[in-house]
Each structure stands twice: as C-alpha cells, then as structure tokens.
Amino acid sequence: MADIATKIVTQNFGNEAAKSIVEYERLGGYAALRKALATDRGAIIDEVKKSSLRGRGGAGFSTGLKWTFIPKEAKSSYLVINADEGEPGTFKDRALLAWDPHLLIEGALIAAYAIRASHIFIYIRGEFVREHSIFARAVEEAYAKGYLGVRILGSEFSCEFVVHRGAGAYICGEETALLNSLEGKRGWPRLKPPFPAVKGLFGQPTIVNNVETLMNVPWIATHGGDAFAALGVPKNGGLRLLCVSGHVDKPGIYELPMGVSLLEVIEKHCGGVRGGRKLKGCIPGGSSMPILTAEECDVAVDFDTLMTSEKIRPVESKPGEIFHFGGRPLRTMGGSGGVIVFDETTDMVAVCARIMRFYAHESCGQCTPCREGTDWLARITTRMAEGNGRPGDVDLCESVACNIAGNTICPLGDAAAWPMMAFLTKYRPEFAAKIRTAA
Amino acid sequence: MPLVFSTEAKQKLRETVARYPSAMAATLPALHLAQAEFGHVSDEAIEAVASELGLSPAHVYGVATFYTMYNKRPVGTYHVQVCTNVSCMLDGGYDCLRVAQAAASVAPETFTVSEVECLASCGTAVCVQVNDDYHEQMNVQRLEALLGELGRRG
Ligand SMILES: Cc1cc2nc3c(=O)[nH]c(=O)nc-3n(C[C@H](O)[C@H](O)[C@H](O)COP(=O)(O)O)c2cc1C
Ligand code: SF4
Ligand code: FES
C-alpha cells in the first residue's frame, strides 16, 4: 500500500498557477501524452488493465477492460467524460475540474488515443458555472498549443474536444441518460444492451468514464500499471478520493490508498467526530449505498472489501431474510467515495426520509416501480420522521423497496431501495419508535 | 409576441450547432442561451429555440421541462438555491431555507427561493447557490448577512 503522502489527482490542489498550461507543462505536464503517442495502443490498454484502475464514478468497473469493449472493427469511437457529479455526499469532481483541468485533458487524450476516439465530450453539471469556465479556458489553451485538434503533436492522432453543460438532473449522471442528454433529449436512461461501447453517443461506440478515473491515467502511462497497482490492494489499484462530510471535525477531500480503513479516515485524517461525540454510523459511498453502523466502519475502503467483508452485516429485505445482489449478500459498496458521517445525536429516520425524497425527486419516471415506489417511500418515511408513522409503515417501506429493487431500467431504483432496506436492517427500532399508536 | 434571438446569440448558436453531428444536440445549450437572453424559458422562448434549430416545439418543450435549471417562470433578481440534502441538512440546511424564504416573502421581486438537491459542496455545508455563484459554509447568520447585502444592492 502507498505511503499516505503520495498524491496523484490532488497534487495540484491549492496551486492556483497549475491551472494555466504554462505552469502545468513546467511541472512535467503533457509528458505522459507524448510518451503515450509514441506507444502502441494495445500496450497502453494493457498497462491500464495491469494497474487495476477501477471506475471512480460509482460502479468500480475495471477501466482497462471497459476500453477493450470497443468493437475491433470500429474505425472510430467517442470518449465521454462524466462530470455530472450529483450523488449526495460527493464533491470531488467539481474540485478536480477547477484545480487541475489539464490533468483531466491529458488523461482523456491518452484514453482517447487508446480507444481511437475522434472526439472527446465532457458533460459538466449545469450548476458548475465557475468550473465550466475554468475548464473551457483550459481546453482553449490545449488547442492553442497543439494538444488538441488535427495531428496532435505531429502524430497521426487527431481529436476534437467538445465541452457540454448539463441543465440540472441527477439522473444524467447515469451513463445512458447522459448520452441522451448530450444528444439534446430528455435524460432518460436507455435499456442495455446495447452497451455504449457498442452503440453509444449518436449511435457510435462510446466509452464513458468519470473525471477522477481519467485523471489517474497519465500517472499510469508514466509509471506503469504495476506501480499503480502497488499503491493499492489486490484488484483495487491506486489511491482514491474520499469526500468526507457530516459530523467530522475536518470534512474535506482526502486522497488515500485503496486499502485504508474507513474508521482511520474518520478518526485520524478527519480529526474524529465533531465535538467529541460518538460515531453512530456512516454512508461509505454516496447516498445510494447501504449505511454502516459504527461497529462496521473498521473496514478497508476498497471496492471488494466493502462488498464482501464479514464485518459488515448483510442488508435484509425483511427481518431474517438476507437480500442478495449479484449472487451474494448485499453488504455495501464503495460507490462514488462520498462518506457521510453521523454522530450519536443523529435522527436516522430524518436522514433516511431526506434520502428518499431525493430519489423521488430525481426518478425520471420511465419505470412504474421506480416512479411510484420512490414517491411512496418519500411520503411514508417523511411522515414517520415527523412522528406521524402509521401502524404497518415499517413493513410497507420494506415491501415497496423490495418491489423496486431489480425491477427497473437503470440502477436509480436500486439506489433508493438499497438504502431503505439498509436503514431498516441497521436502525429498525428507531423507525418503529416513530409509529403513532392509537391516540 | 414572438421572441427573437439577438444577432450575437444567433451567431453563438450557429457555432454551437457546428460542434455536434446533429442540430438536436444543441437543444440544451440553446435553452441556456434562451434563458440568458430572455430571463426565463417561456413558451415563446421555446418557440424561438425550436425555430432556430429546426426542431419541433414539442421536443424543445419536453426537454425544457425535464431539467430543473430552466426556469419556466420569471425569477427575482437573485435566485437563492438552498441545498437541504443530507450533509447540508446536518449542518442547518433547513434553517437556511427558512431564512431565505423569510427574505423572499418581504422582497419577492428581489429574491426567488428554491430548495435544491446536493450541489457537490457537502464538505463545506451549508451550500447556497445564488444565481451562478456558490456560497459555502453558510449558516443562519452568514446567510442573513449575505441576503441583507444583496437586498441593499437590489
Ligand atoms: C443514478 C446514477 C447516477 C450516476 N451519477 C454519476 C455521476 O454523477 N458521475 C459519474 O461519473 N458516474 C455516475 N454514475 C455512474 C455512471 O453510470 C458510469 O458508470 C460512470 O460514469 C462510468 O465511469 P467510470 O467507469 O470511470 O466510473 C451514475 C450512475 C447512476 C445509476
Ligand atoms: S429506474 Fe427510475 S430513474 Fe431509472 S429509468 Fe427507471 S424510472 Fe428512470
Ligand atoms: S448535501 Fe448539500 S452540497 Fe451536498
């Protein structure tokens, strides 16, 4: 595991000057791109595979493997950068765009070269007005210096860069909704298959990657896949950004090795729970991911440990009945790296209700179980939070959540159902206490 | 009365369309432009976007109503958007929302208030976006001061 002083994507945080291309180059920037352009495409993909870099947007899928899904016969493809950051508790991509735009452009260019992309599109969340203007300026600088456009740095490789703004819709972070939105449509997720790598943006083979994912690519191109893998733990290469918010002394963005313990992050790096209070629980990967109790927080934050550690009690669909996902008990997941910490005074019913209102608001409405189910969950948990729960409400939440899970076009349905089930699995008595018994 | 884009806006729109393989792909940028030009996205603004891009008004309407950032109704000088999602809620997001609503009830022309979802600023809660600008680490006192200042500026 890496020394905790090692930084990759946050190394220029706090350095105002590094936003300009001149300073970025002076610090060694765009050397990785030069090296990549002189390397065989297949060799780059092999290094990224070896690095065991996994997607930082939420699903944790192997980046190198994803790149190989572009059909061999495809003459060209598109690379889409997902900068729609909207998962509650997550605030890294906004900072990355503003602090180190050229690292993202460089990483995206290496990826685009590897997959023969003719265009890179970035989808920037609409609210990020300031970040959009910083990033758009960086793209202009990169064009002016010949890093973008026709025959980049005198090579055979040409690539255009299009900066696109969203307009306010969490669902557009989901990759197929994002593609529809980029095409100028409502952000409705598409049925898969076909997967974007085969038929994506404007019908072309398309790879969608998260901002943080791509910003690790120049380091891999420079130092090699093995070196990156060695920074983390097996199958989970490198460092990852944890966005810590809620009841900690020092909330913020922490770039730490993959195997670090969640409890250590809270107690050591973030200065512990605020005001000397006790830890009650934490959400490890954005609001879509099942919550952990204080006792369960002493686990490594890598994708596999959070999914499989026996220290984490499996989520139940009803008392005593373990809920399975992907052939194994659902525990939790690393998701987007958004860590929300709760102290002992937290009203978990109020937190759960707020999360349910979020999903009800953001459901795109295409699937009945999601549209109706999230609305029900929001209404029932909110009345419980207000102390007006009715007899049977706890069981009703459970059955509504079960009807959503696995029955929808996109994972937003699960993203509402899983936390609901997890809150009930871990904090059921608190919910039961909100039921108003006969007056 | 039908709305017409300014010459500069039309030029900008043509440049935007040229970057995409289809005119439809310029729907979102065109609606952003319309909001900037006309203040909000009225039915007339939707017609203007549709005719500029050669798309059906129904398509543009469907898109304009799907996304939260397009204001279908006029907003005050300052659109105060308070995040009340979990991290902000833990730090007083709802108290901030009440402060903003109180300010708007006194000066509705100046302030329009919306409760919004996570603004990706959870480490510096409470986050309040006023028009394009983020204001972080807000609390009741700081927000009252900010709105007081904006109110005086008008
Ligand atoms: C409802 C929903 C919202 C999502 N939001 C985001 C997002 O804001 N940013 C992001 O990178 N990925 C988001 N994702 C994941 C993307 O669908 C996709 O997996 C990811 O962008 C792929 O990039 P990666 O492999 O580099 O992680 C979301 C997924 C779902 C289901
Ligand atoms: S699961 Fe929900 S958000 Fe996803 S496509 Fe269905 S209705 Fe839309
Ligand atoms: S919860 Fe308010 S900015 Fe994320």
Side-chain angles (χ1 to χ4, degrees):
Chain A
M1 224 163 79
D3 187 270
I4 62 150
T6 310
K7 300 287 174 245
I8 298 177
V9 299
T10 60
Q11 59 185 331
N12 286 329
F13 274 36
N15 179 3
E16 251 337 297
K19 291 176 189 175
S20 82
I21 198 161
V22 177
E23 179 65 5
Y24 181 75
E25 286 175 318
R26 200 187 63 78
L27 294 168
Y30 287 110
L33 174 66
R34 281 176 205 278
K35 183 179 171 196
L37 291 178
T39 310
D40 177 60
R41 293 188 156 86
I44 294 173
I45 297 183
D46 285 343
E47 287 305 316
V48 175
K49 273 198 203 156
K50 250 194 273 173
S51 76
S52 54
L53 170 63
R54 291 168 67 167
R56 304 294 197 246
F61 193 80
S62 160
T63 306
L65 185 60
K66 190 194 272 190
W67 293 359
T68 65
F69 294 160
I70 297 280
K72 292 275 169 302
E73 63 281 9
K75 290 211 179 54
S76 79
S77 64
Y78 291 141
L79 176 72
V80 174
I81 308 170
N82 189 340
D84 194 44
E85 184 163 64
E87 173 79 7
T90 316
F91 47 99
K92 61 192 179 68
D93 298 337
R94 183 169 79 91
L96 291 170
L97 286 172
W99 282 118
D100 212 347
H102 286 289
L103 184 62
L104 177 55
I105 296 172
E106 185 174 11
L109 272 167
I110 297 170
Y113 169 74
I115 63 164
R116 294 175 200 279
S118 63
H119 288 69
I120 299 167
F121 293 85
I122 185 168
Y123 188 97
I124 300 182
R125 181 171 170 178
E127 286 85 347
F128 297 172
V129 179
R130 175 177 158 268
E131 293 73 19
H132 169 265
S133 74
I134 293 171
F135 192 78
R137 195 174 322 129
V139 169
E140 280 174 25
E141 286 183 323
Y143 264 110
K145 287 245 178 172
Y147 294 116
L148 287 168
V150 181
R151 298 185 59 100
I152 293 169
L153 300 175
S155 72
E156 295 290 297
F157 176 58
S158 299
C159 191
E160 300 297 329
F161 203 118
V162 180
V163 181
H164 191 91
R165 285 182 66 207
Y170 164 72
I171 192 58
C172 291
E174 193 281 330
E175 58 182 10
T176 61
L178 186 153
L179 297 178
N180 275 339
S181 181
L182 250 173
E183 292 180 2
K185 302 171 188 159
R186 275 180 277 211
W188 277 352
R190 301 174 181 174
L191 274 168
K192 295 193 261 193
F195 288 91
V198 176
K199 192 168 182 282
L201 187 63
F202 305 112
Q204 295 297 307
T206 302
I207 294 296
V208 182
N209 274 133
N210 171 259
V211 169
E212 181 191 346
T213 309
L214 290 168
M215 286 175 78
N216 280 294
V217 170
W219 199 96
I220 297 169
T222 304
H223 302 271
D226 288 334
F228 189 85
L231 297 176
V233 293
K235 295 197 180 131
N236 293 260
L239 314 170
R240 93 162 294 182
L241 294 185
L242 295 169
C243 315
V244 190
S245 68
H247 295 138
V248 284
D249 212 35
K250 289 182 285 180
I253 302 169
Y254 295 87
E255 186 171 26
L256 293 167
M258 267 294 182
V260 72
S261 138
L262 195 49
L263 197 60
E264 186 189 322
V265 174
I266 296 169
E267 307 230 297
K268 203 169 122 203
H269 300 282
C270 300
V273 176
R274 226 187 267 167
R277 282 191 284 271
K278 282 219 278 291
L279 179 66
K280 181 165 185 177
C282 112
I283 294 175
S287 69
S288 305
M289 296 307 156
I291 189 167
L292 302 177
T293 62
E295 298 70 40
E296 294 170 325
C297 288
D298 191 13
V299 285
V301 298
D302 64 274
F303 292 104
D304 294 320
T305 303
L306 289 173
M307 282 196 283
T308 58
S309 171
E310 307 244 315
K311 282 189 196 164
I312 303 173
R313 179 176 161 196
V315 170
E316 295 173 355
S317 48
K318 60 174 157 193
E321 212 165 88
I322 292 177
F323 179 79
H324 285 73
F325 176 75
R328 62 171 158 242
L330 173 67
R331 294 173 200 272
T332 192
M333 290 190 189
S336 61
V339 177
I340 313 176
V341 178
F342 304 104
D343 73 15
E344 57 189 326
T345 67
T346 311
D347 176 351
M348 287 302 191
V349 183
V351 172
C352 176
R354 185 62 187 86
I355 293 175
M356 293 307 132
R357 290 200 293 276
F358 170 72
Y359 290 106
H361 183 253
E362 300 301 334
S363 167
C364 84
Q366 274 191 108
C367 326
T368 312
C370 172
R371 184 186 61 238
E372 303 292 323
T374 53
D375 200 50
W376 275 107
L377 291 178
R379 277 194 276 162
I380 303 166
T381 54
T382 297
R383 78 180 174 223
M384 280 198 263
E386 289 165 353
N388 294 322
R390 301 179 194 160
D393 272 357
V394 175
D395 298 342
L396 189 55
C397 286
E398 229 156 42
S399 81
V400 173
C402 286
N403 280 329
I404 301 173
N407 293 324
T408 58
I409 292 176
C410 93
L412 185 140
D414 293 335
W418 294 357
M420 185 70 240
M421 293 184 210
F423 272 103
L424 290 178
T425 306
K426 315 258 162 119
Y427 300 99
R428 196 181 190 91
E430 282 191 42
F431 286 79
K434 300 282 189 178
I435 305 301
R436 191 188 269 190
T437 38
Chain B
M1 226 188 34
L3 289 172
V4 186
F5 278 104
S6 65
T7 321
E8 301 85 65
K10 279 190 178 172
Q11 177 58 25
K12 214 166 159 192
L13 206 51
R14 269 196 296 277
E15 287 165 17
T16 305
V17 171
R19 277 187 264 138
Y20 300 91
S22 79
M24 187 179 279
T27 308
L28 270 68
L31 284 165
H32 279 305
L33 206 59
Q35 180 146 304
E37 282 265 291
F38 310 126
H40 71 283
V41 180
S42 60
D43 288 352
E44 292 76 17
I46 286 171
E47 297 275 352
V49 166
S51 89
E52 222 34 62
L53 295 178
L55 301 168
S56 76
H59 166 78
V60 181
Y61 186 84
V63 172
T65 50
F66 185 85
Y67 297 93
T68 56
M69 283 178 68
Y70 301 127
N71 301 315
K72 290 290 280 109
R73 266 190 291 252
V75 293
T77 315
Y78 300 104
H79 189 190
V80 182
Q81 299 153 87
V82 184
C83 172
T84 60
N85 210 303
V86 177
S87 308
C88 288
M89 176 179 95
L90 295 177
D91 273 336
Y94 281 99
D95 296 329
C96 288
L97 180 64
R98 278 188 285 274
V99 164
Q101 283 164 340
S105 69
V106 183
E109 313 265 280
T110 311
F111 300 114
T112 301
V113 176
S114 304
E115 177 181 3
V116 296
E117 298 297 353
C118 177
L119 288 165
S121 181
C122 332
T124 45
V126 173
C127 183
V128 179
Q129 184 174 13
V130 180
N131 297 345
D132 288 348
D133 300 325
Y134 274 43
H135 297 268
E136 300 173 56
Q137 292 181 310
M138 281 288 138
N139 54 34
V140 165
Q141 291 75 28
R142 294 191 60 204
L143 185 59
E144 276 171 348
L146 173 70
L147 298 180
E149 159 80 32
L150 295 175
R152 279 188 294 280
R153 214 184 292 167

